[in-house]
Amino acid sequence: MTKTVLAFDFGTYSIGCAVGQSITGTAQGLPAFKAQDGIPDWAQIEKVIQEWQPDVLVVGLPLNMDGTEQPLTQRAKKFANRLNGRFNLPVELQDERLTTVEAKAEIFSRGGYKALKKGKVDAISACLILESWFENQTGY
């Protein structure tokens, strides 16, 4: 059974978003959501959820390289809880260590320094979060 999944790269000023299908295990970046101190325009997120009808939501969990939590970790968890509470969809957390670094390297290799626009980095980070989540799934 194919599942549609939306992934979020939580940030205090911008929240990256990507959509993917379990059958392909790949993700496509969507426009990032602006946020004010980590709070998005929930109506915009609702619109994307209505458009894509996801079965699962995935939120990147920012951790330090040694696996310990950082200040943003609790805020990402709170965002995940709010997604679950507002939209009544299952939400899973995915370790996102190095996704922003990987995203920047990917964009830079394609278009150089000028291509490193924040929204594009956030969207690719969300894609990497989603693709790593797919890689860790069994039974999907």
Side-chain angles (χ1 to χ4, degrees):
M1 189 171 110
T2 302
K3 288 193 182 275
T4 300
V5 185
L6 276 180
F8 297 92
D9 177 30
F10 176 79
T12 53
Y13 300 106
S14 180
I15 299 170
C17 189
V19 64
Q21 256 65 36
S22 60
I23 197 161
T24 62
T26 58
Q28 150 192 347
L30 298 174
F33 300 100
K34 296 266 185 258
Q36 286 200 312
D37 197 29
I39 300 168
D41 178 344
W42 289 105
Q44 286 183 325
I45 291 180
E46 182 175 7
K47 186 176 171 191
V48 169
I49 288 174
Q50 286 174 347
E51 179 181 347
W52 290 100
Q53 298 289 307
D55 300 291
V56 181
L57 304 176
V58 175
V59 174
L61 189 63
L63 298 168
N64 293 316
M65 289 310 295
D66 64 2
T68 59
E69 292 192 356
Q70 55 177 282
L72 203 55
T73 308
Q74 285 303 318
R75 296 186 74 181
K77 286 180 178 178
K78 188 175 183 179
F79 174 72
N81 288 336
R82 286 188 173 152
L83 282 170
N84 175 260
R86 282 178 180 266
F87 304 110
N88 198 26
L89 288 167
V91 179
E92 297 193 21
L93 298 171
Q94 175 65 39
D95 182 347
E96 67 165 48
R97 282 177 278 184
L98 295 179
T99 55
T100 301
V101 173
E102 283 181 50
K104 286 181 179 175
E106 170 97 6
I107 294 167
F108 189 80
S109 72
R110 290 184 191 177
Y113 183 75
K114 289 184 178 174
L116 290 174
K117 292 184 174 63
K118 180 71 177 131
K120 193 177 281 190
V121 171
D122 291 337
I124 290 179
S125 293
C127 286
L128 293 169
I129 289 165
L130 184 50
E131 288 172 358
S132 63
W133 182 83
F134 281 134
E135 287 168 13
N136 291 323
Q137 298 307 298
T138 52
Y140 277 112

Short mmCIF file of all heavy atoms in Angstrom, two decimals, residues 45-76:
data_model
loop_
_atom_site.label_atom_id
_atom_site.label_comp_id
_atom_site.label_asym_id
_atom_site.label_seq_id
_atom_site.Cartn_x
_atom_site.Cartn_y
_atom_site.Cartn_z
N ILE A 45 -0.04 25.52 6.36
CA ILE A 45 0.27 24.10 6.55
C ILE A 45 -0.98 23.25 6.31
O ILE A 45 -0.92 22.21 5.65
CB ILE A 45 0.89 23.85 7.94
CG1 ILE A 45 2.29 24.49 7.98
CG2 ILE A 45 0.95 22.36 8.27
CD1 ILE A 45 3.04 24.35 9.26
N GLU A 46 -2.12 23.73 6.79
CA GLU A 46 -3.38 23.01 6.56
C GLU A 46 -3.67 22.87 5.07
O GLU A 46 -4.10 21.82 4.60
CB GLU A 46 -4.53 23.73 7.26
CG GLU A 46 -5.85 23.00 7.11
CD GLU A 46 -6.98 23.65 7.90
OE1 GLU A 46 -6.77 24.74 8.47
OE2 GLU A 46 -8.06 23.05 7.94
N LYS A 47 -3.40 23.93 4.31
CA LYS A 47 -3.64 23.91 2.86
C LYS A 47 -2.78 22.82 2.20
O LYS A 47 -3.26 22.07 1.34
CB LYS A 47 -3.31 25.29 2.29
CG LYS A 47 -3.65 25.46 0.84
CD LYS A 47 -3.37 26.90 0.41
CE LYS A 47 -3.49 27.02 -1.10
NZ LYS A 47 -3.00 28.28 -1.60
N VAL A 48 -1.52 22.72 2.58
CA VAL A 48 -0.62 21.71 2.00
C VAL A 48 -1.09 20.31 2.41
O VAL A 48 -1.08 19.39 1.59
CB VAL A 48 0.84 21.97 2.43
CG1 VAL A 48 1.75 20.81 2.07
CG2 VAL A 48 1.35 23.25 1.77
N ILE A 49 -1.52 20.15 3.65
CA ILE A 49 -2.01 18.85 4.11
C ILE A 49 -3.28 18.46 3.35
O ILE A 49 -3.43 17.32 2.92
CB ILE A 49 -2.22 18.85 5.65
CG1 ILE A 49 -0.85 18.83 6.33
CG2 ILE A 49 -3.08 17.68 6.09
CD1 ILE A 49 -0.87 18.97 7.82
N GLN A 50 -4.16 19.41 3.13
CA GLN A 50 -5.38 19.12 2.35
C GLN A 50 -5.04 18.76 0.90
O GLN A 50 -5.65 17.88 0.31
CB GLN A 50 -6.34 20.31 2.40
CG GLN A 50 -7.03 20.45 3.73
CD GLN A 50 -7.88 21.72 3.82
OE1 GLN A 50 -7.80 22.61 2.98
NE2 GLN A 50 -8.71 21.79 4.85
N GLU A 51 -4.06 19.45 0.35
CA GLU A 51 -3.68 19.20 -1.05
C GLU A 51 -3.06 17.81 -1.23
O GLU A 51 -3.39 17.09 -2.17
CB GLU A 51 -2.68 20.26 -1.51
CG GLU A 51 -2.22 20.07 -2.94
CD GLU A 51 -1.21 21.12 -3.39
OE1 GLU A 51 -1.03 22.15 -2.68
OE2 GLU A 51 -0.59 20.91 -4.43
N TRP A 52 -2.16 17.41 -0.33
CA TRP A 52 -1.41 16.16 -0.51
C TRP A 52 -2.04 14.97 0.21
O TRP A 52 -1.67 13.83 -0.06
CB TRP A 52 0.04 16.36 -0.07
CG TRP A 52 0.77 17.25 -1.02
CD1 TRP A 52 1.03 18.58 -0.86
CD2 TRP A 52 1.30 16.90 -2.30
NE1 TRP A 52 1.69 19.07 -1.95
CE2 TRP A 52 1.87 18.05 -2.85
CE3 TRP A 52 1.34 15.71 -3.02
CZ2 TRP A 52 2.49 18.06 -4.10
CZ3 TRP A 52 1.96 15.72 -4.27
CH2 TRP A 52 2.52 16.88 -4.79
N GLN A 53 -2.94 15.21 1.18
CA GLN A 53 -3.60 14.12 1.92
C GLN A 53 -2.60 13.07 2.44
O GLN A 53 -2.71 11.88 2.13
CB GLN A 53 -4.65 13.43 1.02
CG GLN A 53 -5.77 14.33 0.57
CD GLN A 53 -6.72 14.69 1.70
OE1 GLN A 53 -7.23 13.83 2.39
NE2 GLN A 53 -6.94 15.98 1.90
N PRO A 54 -1.60 13.50 3.23
CA PRO A 54 -0.59 12.55 3.69
C PRO A 54 -1.14 11.54 4.70
O PRO A 54 -2.10 11.82 5.42
CB PRO A 54 0.46 13.45 4.35
CG PRO A 54 -0.33 14.63 4.84
CD PRO A 54 -1.40 14.84 3.79
N ASP A 55 -0.50 10.37 4.71
CA ASP A 55 -0.83 9.33 5.68
C ASP A 55 -0.01 9.51 6.95
O ASP A 55 -0.42 9.10 8.03
CB ASP A 55 -0.54 7.95 5.09
CG ASP A 55 -1.36 7.71 3.82
OD1 ASP A 55 -2.58 7.56 3.94
OD2 ASP A 55 -0.76 7.69 2.73
N VAL A 56 1.17 10.09 6.80
CA VAL A 56 2.11 10.27 7.90
C VAL A 56 2.81 11.62 7.73
O VAL A 56 3.07 12.04 6.60
CB VAL A 56 3.18 9.15 7.91
CG1 VAL A 56 4.15 9.32 9.06
CG2 VAL A 56 2.55 7.78 7.96
N LEU A 57 3.13 12.26 8.86
CA LEU A 57 3.95 13.47 8.85
C LEU A 57 5.27 13.12 9.54
O LEU A 57 5.28 12.39 10.53
CB LEU A 57 3.26 14.61 9.61
CG LEU A 57 1.86 14.99 9.14
CD1 LEU A 57 1.26 16.07 10.04
CD2 LEU A 57 1.87 15.45 7.69
N VAL A 58 6.36 13.64 9.00
CA VAL A 58 7.69 13.40 9.58
C VAL A 58 8.30 14.75 9.90
O VAL A 58 8.28 15.66 9.07
CB VAL A 58 8.60 12.62 8.61
CG1 VAL A 58 10.01 12.48 9.16
CG2 VAL A 58 8.00 11.24 8.31
N VAL A 59 8.84 14.89 11.11
CA VAL A 59 9.50 16.13 11.52
C VAL A 59 10.96 15.80 11.82
O VAL A 59 11.26 14.85 12.56
CB VAL A 59 8.83 16.75 12.76
CG1 VAL A 59 9.61 17.96 13.26
CG2 VAL A 59 7.39 17.14 12.44
N GLY A 60 11.85 16.57 11.22
CA GLY A 60 13.28 16.40 11.49
C GLY A 60 13.59 16.75 12.93
O GLY A 60 13.10 17.76 13.45
N LEU A 61 14.39 15.91 13.58
CA LEU A 61 14.76 16.12 14.97
C LEU A 61 16.21 16.59 15.02
O LEU A 61 17.13 15.81 14.76
CB LEU A 61 14.60 14.81 15.76
CG LEU A 61 14.73 14.92 17.27
CD1 LEU A 61 13.64 15.82 17.85
CD2 LEU A 61 14.68 13.54 17.90
N PRO A 62 16.41 17.87 15.34
CA PRO A 62 17.78 18.39 15.38
C PRO A 62 18.50 17.91 16.64
O PRO A 62 18.04 18.13 17.76
CB PRO A 62 17.60 19.91 15.40
CG PRO A 62 16.22 20.14 15.89
CD PRO A 62 15.42 18.91 15.60
N LEU A 63 19.60 17.21 16.44
CA LEU A 63 20.41 16.69 17.54
C LEU A 63 21.86 17.13 17.34
O LEU A 63 22.29 17.41 16.22
CB LEU A 63 20.35 15.16 17.59
CG LEU A 63 18.99 14.53 17.83
CD1 LEU A 63 19.03 13.03 17.56
CD2 LEU A 63 18.52 14.80 19.26
N ASN A 64 22.62 17.17 18.44
CA ASN A 64 24.05 17.41 18.33
C ASN A 64 24.69 16.17 17.70
O ASN A 64 24.11 15.09 17.70
CB ASN A 64 24.65 17.66 19.72
CG ASN A 64 24.15 18.98 20.30
OD1 ASN A 64 24.08 19.99 19.62
ND2 ASN A 64 23.79 18.95 21.57
N MET A 65 25.91 16.32 17.21
CA MET A 65 26.59 15.20 16.54
C MET A 65 26.73 13.99 17.45
O MET A 65 26.73 12.86 16.98
CB MET A 65 27.95 15.63 15.99
CG MET A 65 27.85 16.57 14.79
SD MET A 65 26.75 15.98 13.47
CE MET A 65 27.61 14.52 12.93
N ASP A 66 26.83 14.20 18.76
CA ASP A 66 26.96 13.07 19.69
C ASP A 66 25.61 12.47 20.07
O ASP A 66 25.53 11.58 20.92
CB ASP A 66 27.76 13.47 20.93
CG ASP A 66 27.05 14.54 21.76
OD1 ASP A 66 25.92 14.96 21.43
OD2 ASP A 66 27.65 14.95 22.78
N GLY A 67 24.51 12.97 19.45
CA GLY A 67 23.19 12.43 19.71
C GLY A 67 22.44 13.09 20.84
O GLY A 67 21.28 12.78 21.10
N THR A 68 23.06 14.03 21.53
CA THR A 68 22.38 14.73 22.62
C THR A 68 21.48 15.81 22.05
O THR A 68 21.64 16.25 20.92
CB THR A 68 23.39 15.36 23.61
OG1 THR A 68 24.22 16.28 22.88
CG2 THR A 68 24.25 14.29 24.28
N GLU A 69 20.51 16.22 22.89
CA GLU A 69 19.57 17.26 22.44
C GLU A 69 20.22 18.62 22.49
O GLU A 69 21.17 18.86 23.24
CB GLU A 69 18.32 17.22 23.33
CG GLU A 69 17.50 15.96 23.11
CD GLU A 69 16.12 16.03 23.73
OE1 GLU A 69 15.78 17.02 24.41
OE2 GLU A 69 15.36 15.06 23.53
N GLN A 70 19.70 19.52 21.67
CA GLN A 70 20.12 20.91 21.64
C GLN A 70 18.89 21.77 21.89
O GLN A 70 17.77 21.24 21.94
CB GLN A 70 20.79 21.24 20.30
CG GLN A 70 19.92 20.90 19.09
CD GLN A 70 20.57 21.28 17.78
OE1 GLN A 70 20.54 22.45 17.43
NE2 GLN A 70 21.14 20.32 17.07
N PRO A 71 19.04 23.08 22.07
CA PRO A 71 17.85 23.90 22.37
C PRO A 71 16.72 23.76 21.35
O PRO A 71 15.55 23.78 21.71
CB PRO A 71 18.42 25.33 22.37
CG PRO A 71 19.85 25.16 22.77
CD PRO A 71 20.29 23.84 22.16
N LEU A 72 17.05 23.58 20.08
CA LEU A 72 16.01 23.48 19.05
C LEU A 72 15.27 22.13 19.09
O LEU A 72 14.17 22.02 18.57
CB LEU A 72 16.64 23.69 17.67
CG LEU A 72 15.73 24.16 16.55
CD1 LEU A 72 14.98 25.43 16.91
CD2 LEU A 72 16.53 24.35 15.28
N THR A 73 15.86 21.13 19.75
CA THR A 73 15.27 19.79 19.77
C THR A 73 13.88 19.82 20.40
O THR A 73 12.91 19.28 19.84
CB THR A 73 16.17 18.80 20.54
OG1 THR A 73 17.49 18.86 20.00
CG2 THR A 73 15.64 17.38 20.44
N GLN A 74 13.74 20.44 21.57
CA GLN A 74 12.44 20.50 22.25
C GLN A 74 11.42 21.29 21.44
O GLN A 74 10.24 20.94 21.42
CB GLN A 74 12.58 21.12 23.65
CG GLN A 74 13.19 20.17 24.66
CD GLN A 74 12.42 18.86 24.79
OE1 GLN A 74 11.19 18.84 24.82
NE2 GLN A 74 13.14 17.75 24.83
N ARG A 75 11.87 22.32 20.75
CA ARG A 75 10.94 23.12 19.94
C ARG A 75 10.45 22.32 18.75
O ARG A 75 9.28 22.42 18.37
CB ARG A 75 11.61 24.42 19.51
CG ARG A 75 11.94 25.27 20.75
CD ARG A 75 12.47 26.60 20.42
NE ARG A 75 11.37 27.43 19.94
CZ ARG A 75 11.52 28.67 19.55
NH1 ARG A 75 12.70 29.23 19.59
NH2 ARG A 75 10.49 29.36 19.12
N ALA A 76 11.31 21.50 18.15
CA ALA A 76 10.89 20.65 17.04
C ALA A 76 9.89 19.61 17.53
O ALA A 76 8.91 19.31 16.85
CB ALA A 76 12.11 19.97 16.39
#
